[in-house]
Amino acid sequence: MIYVCFGTLYTLVAAVLVVKSATRVTVANHGVSSSVETKVSPTVKLAYYGAGSGIPEVKSILAGFVIHGFLGVRILLVKTFGLILCCASGIVTGKEGPMVQIASSLGNISTRIFDKYYKNEAKKREIISAASAAGVSVAFGAPIGGVLFSLEEVSYFFPNKTMLRSLACALVAALVLKAYDPFGTGKLVLFQTTYDMDYHWFEMIPFVIIGVFGGLYGALFCRINMAVNRLRKNTRLGHYPITEVVAITSLTLYCSFGNPFTRIGLGELVGSLFQECPARDPRRPYNSDSDNIEELLCISGNQISDYMPLLSMLAFALVNRSFFAVTTFGAKVPSGLVLPSMSIGAVFGRIVGAYMEYLTRANAGHSIFAQCPVDSRCVIPGIYALVGAGATLTGTTHTTIAVVAILMELTGNLIYTLPVLVGVMTARWVSEYFNPNGIYDMLIEHAGHPYFDTKTQYIHTRRTAAELMQTDLETVCVDFENENTLSLLSARLSRIAERGLSDGGFPVVNSRGYLQGWIACTELEFAISRCHNLDTTTICFFNNPLWQMDQIAHDPNSIPHYRMPLSYVKARDRRRNSSPVNDASASDSPLLSGLRKRWGLLFASSAEAESRPPADPPLLAADADCAGNSSHSYQSNGRTARPASSSRSGESSSSGSSNTQPNNAPQLAAHNNVSIPYFQDRPNDFTPFVDQTPLAISPNAPIELVATLLGRLGVSCLCVVDKGIYCGVIFKKAYIGYAKELEEAGYIH
C-alpha cells in the first residue's frame, strides 16, 4: 500500500504541474496544436506541452513549424521536475524522449544570448538538432547513437556541418555525464555485458522470429495507442487528465507489485535481462520465490518443468508492460517510449532465449545442435533479450541504424552486431507492411502539424502552383486605410484563426494588386498588442519607407534605394541639386506634401512643427481612464499618434517657452524639413513587422518546385505572384493535404 501511495503521489504532482502549465491555443475544428491536447471549444484547445515525449513537436519545429512556448523556460521546468517524479513513481515510462525536449529547450534558450543565433532561424535549428543529439547521448551514454538518432528520427535537414556540431555537442554531454557519474559505477556504459561465446547459425531462425514479433508489436502498439489518444480527444476522458493519471498509476503499481520482474524499474529490468548467467551448481535447487533477478533468470536443469516458473513470470511481465505502455504513453505526464519498448522486447527475447536454452540441453545430441559443445552452454539467453529490445524499438519508431548504435554503446559489445541487425531489419520490414509510418510520425499527423516526408516521391495529379494556391485569403491593402483599423485587423486575425491558419499571415498589397510584403499572424498580433492604449478606430500603416531612420539624426539620404519609392528618390536628387531656402513650404516636393497629408505629424515640416501651438489636445475615449498618466494619445490631421516620454534621451521641455513642446507632446527629430517621431512613439506603424521580400513563385511554376521549396526551406507558405501582381498563397498545410490524397489514392513511387 505504501508503494502504491507514494507512486501515485509522485505522478499526481507531475500531472498537476503539466495541467497548470497548459497553453490555450486557437486552431481550426480539424486541427490541434500538440500531440497531447484537450478540446475546450470548437476553436479553443488546451495544449499540454509538458506532457508526452516531445519528439513529435521537436521534429515539427525543426521542419519550420512554430510552436510558441514549447521550448521555453516554463515548459523546461515542468518537463524536468515532472520527468523526475514519473521515473521515480514506477509507472511504465521512459526518460529518453523527454530528455530530447529538455535538451532542445536548453539549446533554444541559449540562443537568446547571441543575436547571431537568436535572429537566424537556420542557425537556431542547427543548435536544436545538436541539442537533441546531446539529449539522447545523456539518456543512454551513447554519443554516436545520439547523433544517429538526431539524423534518422528528429532532424529535418542534417548537412555535414550540422552532423559535426551535433557530434561535438553529444561528446561534451557524454564527457560531463561520465565525470558526474550519476550511477556510481565509474562507467559510461549503462548495461555492460561480457558475452564469452559466439552465436551459431541455427540461432538466426529465433532471431528472425524475434524480429517478426518486434514488427507486429510495433504496428499493434501504434494503432492501439492512436485509438486511445483519439478516445482522450473525442470523449470526456480528456477533461479529467489528473484523474486519469492517478487511475493509471494506481492500477499499474497494484498489478505490478506481485511480480519481481514488474516490481523493479525499467532500467534495472533491461540491464538484468541483458546479462549472462554465471556458472551454477546443478545440484542447487531452483527457488521461484526468490527476489533475486539473477537467480530467477539462471536455470541449471534440462526439464521443461524447470523452466515453467520463469516462463510464466516473464509472460505475465510481457502482458503487463505491454498493456500499461499503451495506456500510459499519451497521458498528461512526461512519458517516453524508448525504454518501455526496449523492456517489452527484452522480456520476449529472454523468453525465446530461455526456451532455446532448454532445447539445446534437452536435445544435446541432435544434428541441428551439433555445433554445441558437450556438457556446456550452447546459447546465451541474454543475447536474445538484446535482439528483442532493438526489434520492438524499431517496430515502434521505424528507427534502424540509431537503434543498433545505441544498443552497442549501451552494452559495450560489438560481437553480436549482426544478430541485432537481423532482428532490427526484420522488425522494420514487418512493421512497415502494416504501418507505413512510425509512432512519432503518426502523432505529428494526429496533432495536425504541417510536416511531410520529403523522401516520398509522388505521382502528381496537379501540374502547376496555380492549381494548388488558395485565392480566398484576406489581404492588407496599404492604400485603403479605412480597412486597416485596429478593430478590423483584430477581426481578421480571429477569422484566420478559425480556419486553422494562425501560423500563416496576410499578403500586403497596394490598390493595383501588386505584392508589397507579407506580415505573419504572430507579428500582426504582437503589433496590435503594442496599441493597447489607442482607440480601436486608429488607422495602422504598413508601408512607411522611413521607419529605419535613426532616432537622433534622421537622414533620408541614407535610406537604400530599394526601400524608397522611385518618386522619393527623384525628389531627393532634385533637392541635392537645388539651393536650400528658408521657407519650408517652398522647398517641399509634391511627394512630401502628399506624405504630410497622409501621415500627419509623421512628415510634418520643421517650421510647421515649431509653429504648432503647444495646447494640450483632447483625450481619446479609450484613454479617459488613464488621464492621470502620461500615456495620452493625440489626434493630428485625422491620424492617431502616441507621444514619447519627456525624459527620453535626456531631453526636457520648458513650460515657459512657446517654441518648445510640452512634457506630454510628441518629441520630433527634424532633418531636411522632415520630422519623424521615434519608433516607440508610433505603435500604429506596423512597417517594421512586414516582410518586404516574401518568398514568391510564378503561378506557372511546376508542382515539384513547390514541394522542394516547402520541404527544403522549411517555410510555412509561398506567395504566388504573376509579374508582381498577387494571385494567391500556398500553405504547407494545403500541400500536406494534397499529398495525403495522393497517398490514399496510391499515387506514390
Side-chain angles (χ1 to χ4, degrees):
M1 182 61 66
I2 297 177
Y3 174 72
V4 175
C5 291
F6 273 96
T8 305
L9 178 62
Y10 290 158
T11 54
L12 175 62
V13 176
V16 170
L17 289 175
V18 171
V19 172
K20 293 298 182 182
S21 64
T23 303
R24 298 177 68 92
V25 294
T26 303
V27 294
N29 297 340
H30 60 277
V32 295
S33 62
S34 173
S35 58
V36 183
E37 58 84 34
T38 295
K39 184 176 181 181
V40 177
S41 69
T43 58
V44 178
K45 296 178 176 64
L46 289 177
Y48 300 95
Y49 293 151
S53 171
I55 292 181
E57 287 79 9
V58 173
K59 290 184 64 174
S60 301
I61 291 173
L62 292 177
F65 185 57
V66 178
I67 306 178
H68 294 284
F70 182 79
L71 299 180
V73 177
R74 181 168 61 99
I75 301 301
L76 171 63
L77 297 176
V78 171
K79 198 82 170 185
T80 302
F81 290 105
L83 180 62
I84 295 173
L85 294 172
C86 289
C87 291
S89 65
I91 61 176
V92 185
T93 183
K95 64 179 183 298
E96 294 73 25
M99 283 296 296
V100 172
Q101 181 181 350
I102 291 173
S104 300
S105 299
L106 291 173
N108 178 67
I109 295 171
S110 64
T111 59
R112 302 176 184 177
I113 305 175
F114 309 99
D115 289 342
K116 174 183 178 182
Y117 301 100
Y118 184 64
K119 296 182 178 180
N120 191 322
E121 291 296 329
K123 292 186 177 295
K124 185 185 295 186
R125 291 171 190 166
E126 288 183 8
I127 292 180
I128 295 177
S129 296
S132 63
V136 178
S137 175
V138 171
F140 289 112
I144 298 178
V147 175
L148 293 177
F149 188 84
S150 178
L151 167 65
E152 189 174 2
E153 186 63 42
V154 180
S155 298
Y156 194 78
F157 184 64
F158 206 81
N160 291 334
K161 64 176 182 178
T162 304
M163 181 182 65
L164 294 177
R165 293 168 181 172
S166 300
L167 181 60
C169 189
L171 176 61
V172 172
L175 291 175
V176 173
L177 179 67
K178 181 174 176 58
Y180 184 70
D181 192 16
F183 301 102
T185 60
K187 300 177 181 178
L188 187 62
V189 178
L190 298 182
F191 311 131
Q192 186 171 7
T193 58
T194 55
Y195 302 144
D196 56 357
M197 292 178 55
D198 200 356
Y199 57 89
H200 306 284
W201 282 107
F202 68 84
E203 294 183 84
M204 287 298 173
I205 297 177
F207 291 155
V208 172
I209 294 176
I210 294 175
V212 172
F213 168 80
L216 293 175
Y217 167 80
L220 188 63
F221 175 88
C222 292
R223 297 201 175 189
I224 297 179
N225 184 257
M226 293 308 300
V228 173
N229 288 333
R230 287 191 292 268
L231 184 68
R232 292 188 176 107
K233 172 184 175 183
N234 299 324
T235 64
R236 297 187 61 85
L237 179 63
H239 295 276
Y240 305 97
I242 298 179
T243 304
E244 179 192 2
V245 170
V246 171
I248 291 176
T249 304
S250 302
L251 188 61
T252 301
L253 299 181
Y254 180 79
C255 296
S256 303
F257 186 77
N259 190 295
F261 292 102
T262 57
R263 187 186 310 146
I264 61 177
L266 295 179
E268 184 180 355
L269 174 63
V270 173
S272 301
L273 295 174
F274 284 174
Q275 297 304 315
E276 180 182 6
C277 290
R280 184 184 178 92
D281 187 359
R283 294 172 296 180
R284 182 179 177 182
Y286 179 78
N287 184 12
S288 60
D289 297 330
S290 175
D291 289 336
N292 192 334
I293 300 298
E294 293 183 357
E295 292 184 3
L296 293 175
L297 290 174
C298 300
I299 301 176
S300 57
N302 57 0
Q303 300 296 325
I304 189 63
S305 59
D306 299 330
Y307 287 88
M308 286 305 298
L310 173 63
L311 295 178
S312 61
M313 286 188 291
L314 290 177
F316 175 82
L318 178 64
V319 176
N320 179 284
R321 292 308 188 192
S322 300
F323 174 78
F324 288 111
V326 171
T327 56
T328 304
F329 188 68
K332 306 307 185 292
V333 289
S335 57
L337 180 65
V338 176
L339 198 56
S341 298
M342 291 178 61
S343 65
I344 293 169
V347 170
F348 180 81
R350 192 76 186 201
I351 293 175
V352 177
Y355 187 73
M356 287 297 299
E357 186 181 41
Y358 158 72
L359 289 179
T360 56
R361 290 178 178 178
N363 304 278
H366 199 279
S367 59
I368 298 179
F369 309 121
Q371 302 176 359
C372 297
V374 182
D375 298 332
S376 179
R377 294 177 304 163
C378 183
V379 297
I380 301 178
I383 299 172
Y384 295 84
L386 180 65
V387 176
T392 51
L393 182 57
T394 298
T396 307
T397 63
H398 289 193
T399 308
T400 53
I401 302 176
V403 171
V404 176
I406 289 174
L407 289 177
M408 295 302 101
E409 291 184 281
L410 272 176
T411 59
N413 197 321
L414 298 177
I415 299 177
Y416 289 90
T417 304
L418 185 58
V420 172
L421 275 173
V422 170
V424 164
M425 293 306 301
T426 303
R428 175 67 183 265
W429 292 330
V430 172
S431 180
E432 280 189 341
Y433 179 79
F434 295 98
N435 279 336
N437 298 321
I439 183 64
Y440 297 134
D441 294 330
M442 296 177 69
L443 286 174
I444 290 175
E445 184 178 356
H446 171 74
H449 295 164
Y451 180 92
F452 64 93
D453 188 7
T454 57
K455 300 177 183 179
T456 305
Q457 296 183 358
Y458 298 97
I459 303 175
H460 293 283
T461 58
R462 304 182 185 182
R463 300 179 57 186
T464 62
E467 301 179 32
L468 193 62
M469 69 179 181
Q470 187 172 342
T471 59
D472 58 346
L473 185 67
E474 296 185 67
T475 60
V476 175
C477 184
V478 297
D479 296 330
F480 299 153
E481 300 173 357
N482 294 331
E483 297 180 358
N484 299 332
T485 61
L486 290 175
S487 59
L488 294 179
L489 292 175
S490 300
R492 292 183 186 179
L493 282 176
S494 301
R495 287 194 295 269
I496 197 173
E498 293 176 357
R499 299 176 59 182
L501 301 175
S502 56
D503 58 326
F506 298 96
V508 180
V509 300
N510 59 16
S511 59
R512 295 182 294 175
Y514 285 92
L515 182 66
Q516 304 293 307
W518 175 272
I519 183 167
C521 291
T522 54
E523 299 287 346
L524 182 58
E525 184 178 1
F526 174 75
I528 293 176
S529 66
R530 295 173 64 247
C531 304
H532 61 278
N533 288 332
L534 301 183
D535 190 80
T536 56
T537 59
T538 301
I539 295 176
C540 304
F541 303 97
F542 294 84
N543 64 336
N544 180 10
L546 305 178
W547 68 269
Q548 285 185 327
M549 301 180 65
D550 186 76
Q551 62 179 3
I552 298 177
H554 298 286
D555 185 10
N557 298 328
S558 64
I559 304 178
H561 283 67
Y562 62 86
R563 294 304 306 274
M564 295 194 306
L566 181 59
S567 56
Y568 188 87
V569 176
K570 295 179 179 180
R572 184 194 64 182
D573 295 338
R574 287 197 300 268
R575 288 197 303 273
R576 286 179 177 177
N577 299 329
S578 62
S579 58
V581 295
N582 295 329
D583 187 6
S585 60
S587 61
D588 285 348
S589 65
L591 175 65
L592 289 180
S593 300
L595 288 176
R596 290 198 192 100
K597 182 178 179 181
R598 178 179 177 185
W599 293 80
L601 276 179
L602 205 58
F603 285 91
S605 63
S606 57
E608 182 182 354
E610 293 178 358
S611 61
R612 188 176 300 276
D616 291 337
L619 289 174
L620 289 177
D623 297 326
D625 297 334
C626 305
N629 301 327
S630 59
S631 58
H632 300 290
S633 296
Y634 297 98
Q635 294 288 345
S636 174
N637 293 348
R639 302 288 181 262
T640 304
R642 185 180 174 184
S645 175
S646 59
S647 60
R648 188 184 302 276
S649 303
E651 296 179 2
S652 62
S653 60
S654 174
S655 60
S657 175
S658 61
N659 294 330
T660 59
Q661 298 174 352
N663 292 340
N664 55 2
Q667 301 293 322
L668 303 179
H671 184 80
N672 286 355
N673 300 322
V674 178
S675 298
I676 302 175
Y678 304 126
F679 170 66
Q680 293 84 354
D681 304 325
R682 40 188 172 91
N684 59 325
D685 183 9
F686 293 173
T687 309
F689 305 103
V690 177
D691 182 8
Q692 305 289 343
T693 57
L695 190 60
I697 59 173
S698 170
N700 297 323
I703 198 67
E704 291 81 6
L705 178 60
V706 174
T708 302
L709 293 176
L710 292 176
R712 298 299 181 183
L713 298 183
V715 296
S716 60
C717 59
L718 294 173
C719 293
V720 181
V721 177
D722 186 14
K723 298 179 181 180
I725 299 178
Y726 168 77
C727 300
V729 63
I730 301 176
F731 288 102
K732 180 181 286 188
K733 290 183 178 180
Y735 181 83
I736 293 175
Y738 163 68
K740 293 299 180 182
E741 294 177 359
L742 295 180
E743 292 181 2
E744 294 175 358
Y747 290 104
I748 56 176
H749 290 290

